Amino acid sequence: MQIYNSLTRRKEEFVPLVPGRVGMYVCGPTVYGDGHLGHARPAITFDVLYRYLTHLGYKVRYVRNITDVGHLENDADSGEDKVAKKARLEQLEPMEVVQHYLNSYHEAMARLGVLPPSIEPHASGHIIEQIDYVQKILDAGYAYVSEGSVYFDVPKYNADHNYGKLSGRNIDELFANTRALDGQQEKRHPADFALWKKASPEHLMRWPSPWSDGFPGWHLECSTMGEKYLGEQFDIHGGGLDLMFPHHECEIAQSVAHNGHETVRYWMHNNMITIDGKKMGKSYGNFITLQQFFAGDHPLLDQAYSPMTIRFFILMAQYRSTLDFSNDALKGAEKAMKRMLEGWKRLQELKPSDASTIDMGGYAGKMREAMDDDLNTPIVLAHLFDVCRLINQVNDGNATATSADIATMKELFQTYLFDILGIIPEGEAGANMRPYEEAVDLLLQIRSEAKARKDWATSDLIRNRLSEIGFSVKDTKDGFEWSLK
Ligand code: ZN
């Protein structure tokens, strides 16, 4: 299997450190808001990698962290903690904010068919390990204490090692362009980053340390927890391309300073999702949460899109290419997935013949080849569409297939579409809610007609039964509205 290694900037044969086992770490969400499309892509990309490695027979330990402390606004070393800010605005305990958005993230991931990782460590649960880690970097001489905070000494590190090798940034240019921000006067150099921050008096999340009551820097948790659960060297580290700099660059510097060598062997980055060609973000007014996608509840959306439609849409592009969201693109994905699942349904009814006029040879090899080529999921889908075409030909009587052909086709769908790409057929796991929503609409239309002819018995029966089942029905000027209670 070949994967593109961001560190060497080329495709490399994947050879795990320990035969038969894979250690993989993926940066998870900072839980201070509902999950959005930008969360779905890394989760689905590395879910497919996890599924494929497992399919190949590897025993995979998949660690995906939860950032619940230390991630400051603008990914910088100053400003408010993202979780703490939300807690202050909503008058909640920070851990209430974390739990609320973590539950919502898990729910969205389950609906998207994303398998839970093997370990999901929280930054706040690993403070002791992080303090230890900082102390070792201090002992190695690559950090300094300033006003109760600890900063990583980037120029010192850069003199001994090469800072910027992952992102390929020119270090002088980088230093020249770093803006002086509030609080940076504590730093010797603007490119230095916080390993430990002293908490201001009003800061809610704080722990004692040898340097101050404070909290760990954002980059530190991934170095610490990756090493704790996967060892001083492990196979794969993944995340979105937006994390390459500064987050992953800082992770490399921390682990080299800590261990004297690099930790990660293959760095993998999924590309970003744009919306109608624009970057996604709150300031662009195009920030759509996953829940809004599933409900069709955003001015930019023409309709609701099922979680499986979103998953299919993301898999229609190779993970390293950019992916532009638009209503047209998602409707295209919805149609394509429907065609694929109709092929699967037809396949169940296909009548075998004694002789075959179709050529099933080679599809399994081609799909495996596509997955082995840096997870080329759009090519896997293209081969599955070819199989659908064969199914339709046999179904229409224009070709014949033996029972062995039919078994092969079923195996290909099961292995590639369901097990590896993780598509859940409609009707399972509530992947497609539309037929059920239409059925409720239909009942309420019948009720409106009953009311119009003053058939109160029927009208009340429908309303009361729906209420007992758990729907709340509201009469409006133009008809009715309903929701789940
Ligand atoms: Zn991380």
Side-chain angles (χ1 to χ4, degrees):
M1 177 193 190
Q2 298 240 310
I3 53 181
Y4 183 87
N5 190 347
S6 306
L7 196 61
T8 56
R9 294 181 190 80
R10 58 183 172 84
K11 279 187 202 168
E12 290 176 14
E13 189 61 30
F14 175 68
V15 184
L17 207 64
V18 179
R21 287 178 178 267
V22 177
M24 115 181 195
Y25 187 98
V26 173
C27 292
T30 301
V31 279
Y32 70 105
D34 282 319
H36 51 79
L37 211 50
H39 286 122
R41 196 170 191 194
I44 289 171
T45 298
F46 294 104
D47 181 58
V48 168
L49 176 63
Y50 179 36
R51 287 165 179 268
Y52 188 56
L53 289 168
T54 306
H55 165 79
L56 292 178
Y58 291 111
K59 198 162 166 28
V60 185
R61 183 180 292 165
Y62 176 15
V63 181
R64 190 184 66 206
N65 68 304
I66 295 296
T67 299
D68 55 359
V69 64
H71 195 168
L72 306 188
E73 291 173 300
N74 309 315
D75 297 351
D77 282 339
S78 58
E80 206 169 349
D81 181 292
K82 290 184 179 193
V83 171
K85 181 177 181 182
K86 190 84 185 177
R88 180 174 58 77
L89 292 176
E90 300 194 358
Q91 294 189 305
L92 296 168
E93 271 294 320
M95 284 303 141
E96 262 180 302
V97 172
V98 167
Q99 194 65 58
H100 174 81
Y101 289 112
L102 186 57
N103 293 347
S104 135
Y105 177 75
H106 283 157
E107 194 207 323
M109 290 302 121
R111 294 188 70 188
L112 288 167
V114 172
L115 299 173
S118 331
I119 305 177
E120 196 175 47
H122 290 222
S124 66
H126 296 75
I127 300 295
I128 293 168
E129 289 90 338
Q130 294 184 77
I131 290 173
D132 257 18
Y133 206 97
V134 173
Q135 188 59 56
K136 288 217 179 78
I137 297 177
L138 275 167
D139 294 346
Y142 289 110
Y144 56 90
V145 182
S146 172
E147 315 270 337
S149 292
V150 184
Y151 291 99
F152 192 90
D153 190 339
V154 174
K156 166 102 197 283
Y157 175 84
N158 188 48
D160 298 343
H161 308 278
N162 177 12
Y163 181 80
K165 67 204 266 187
L166 179 66
S167 57
R169 301 206 176 194
N170 178 305
I171 197 72
D172 299 322
E173 199 182 310
L174 184 71
F175 286 179
N177 289 343
T178 312
R179 278 182 302 147
L181 293 167
D182 248 8
Q184 285 203 343
Q185 53 272 29
E186 287 181 10
K187 297 182 187 180
R188 292 185 193 157
H189 194 284
D192 294 349
F193 57 90
L195 297 172
W196 184 264
K197 283 285 282 181
K198 181 182 173 178
S200 56
E202 67 278 9
H203 198 95
L204 290 167
M205 287 183 285
R206 53 169 68 225
W207 291 266
S209 82
W211 317 290
S212 63
D213 271 16
F215 55 93
W218 171 41
H219 313 306
L220 186 66
E221 64 180 274
C222 291
S223 289
T224 307
M225 299 192 295
E227 188 169 323
K228 172 164 173 143
Y229 295 111
L230 299 170
E232 254 190 45
Q233 255 210 318
F234 61 86
D235 298 300
I236 298 171
H237 192 315
L241 198 55
D242 54 336
L243 295 179
M244 190 187 258
F245 189 89
H247 187 54
H248 292 160
E249 201 72 79
C250 294
E251 272 190 49
I252 292 178
Q254 289 169 160
S255 39
V256 172
H258 183 262
N259 297 319
H261 60 79
E262 280 188 37
T263 300
V264 176
R265 301 173 72 232
Y266 303 86
W267 281 93
M268 293 176 75
H269 292 93
N270 63 278
N271 214 322
M272 297 290 99
I273 292 184
T274 52
I275 295 192
D276 290 320
K278 280 192 232 79
K279 204 180 148 186
M280 203 169 53
K282 286 203 167 109
S283 48
Y284 299 97
N286 63 4
F287 189 86
I288 311 173
T289 69
L290 289 167
Q291 273 82 4
Q292 287 170 324
F293 270 105
F294 303 161
D297 179 21
H298 189 281
L300 284 177
L301 298 176
D302 290 353
Q303 58 168 73
Y305 297 101
S306 76
M308 279 303 123
T309 299
I310 293 189
R311 185 170 181 115
F312 202 88
F313 166 68
I314 285 173
L315 296 175
M316 282 171 80
Q318 206 268 352
Y319 73 92
R320 283 194 297 120
S321 44
T322 53
L323 179 59
D324 190 46
F325 158 83
S326 65
N327 280 289
D328 287 347
L330 266 186
K331 283 177 201 165
E334 187 178 47
K335 241 196 225 149
M337 184 176 69
K338 197 168 159 226
R339 215 166 65 229
M340 179 88 70
L341 292 173
E342 274 166 8
W344 167 248
K345 251 183 236 153
R346 248 170 238 147
L347 180 57
Q348 313 311 308
E349 313 292 323
L350 231 49
K351 299 268 179 301
S353 304
D354 294 336
S356 169
T357 62
I358 60 169
D359 180 13
M360 278 312 297
Y363 278 111
K366 284 186 208 164
M367 290 185 203
R368 163 125 192 208
E369 220 170 87
M371 284 305 293
D372 278 346
D373 181 18
D374 196 27
L375 310 181
N376 207 337
T377 55
I379 301 293
V380 176
L381 289 173
H383 292 313
L384 281 166
F385 277 119
D386 284 346
V387 175
C388 281
R389 232 183 9 251
L390 295 178
I391 294 169
N392 290 340
Q393 283 172 10
V394 175
N395 189 57
D396 297 344
N398 298 323
T400 59
T402 61
S403 48
D405 290 335
I406 294 173
T408 305
M409 291 195 264
K410 285 183 179 167
E411 175 81 24
L412 288 173
F413 267 83
Q414 188 58 52
T415 303
Y416 285 91
L417 188 64
F418 304 140
D419 294 349
I420 295 173
L421 298 188
I423 296 296
I424 304 167
E426 266 176 43
E428 285 178 39
N432 188 343
M433 303 295 276
R434 199 157 311 139
Y436 134 89
E437 285 165 2
E438 282 180 12
V440 178
D441 281 343
L442 174 66
L443 271 173
L444 288 171
Q445 259 156 31
I446 294 172
R447 174 173 169 265
S448 296
E449 283 159 25
K451 268 169 69 181
R453 41 168 214 278
K454 299 192 167 30
D455 175 2
W456 308 118
T458 304
S459 156
D460 289 350
L461 175 73
I462 292 175
R463 187 195 176 107
N464 294 342
R465 279 295 293 137
L466 281 175
S467 170
E468 281 165 32
I469 297 167
F471 293 95
S472 106
V473 176
K474 219 166 66 192
D475 292 307
T476 63
K477 260 203 335 282
D478 317 312
F480 52 81
E481 269 175 22
W482 63 266
S483 60
L484 271 172
K485 279 188 209 165

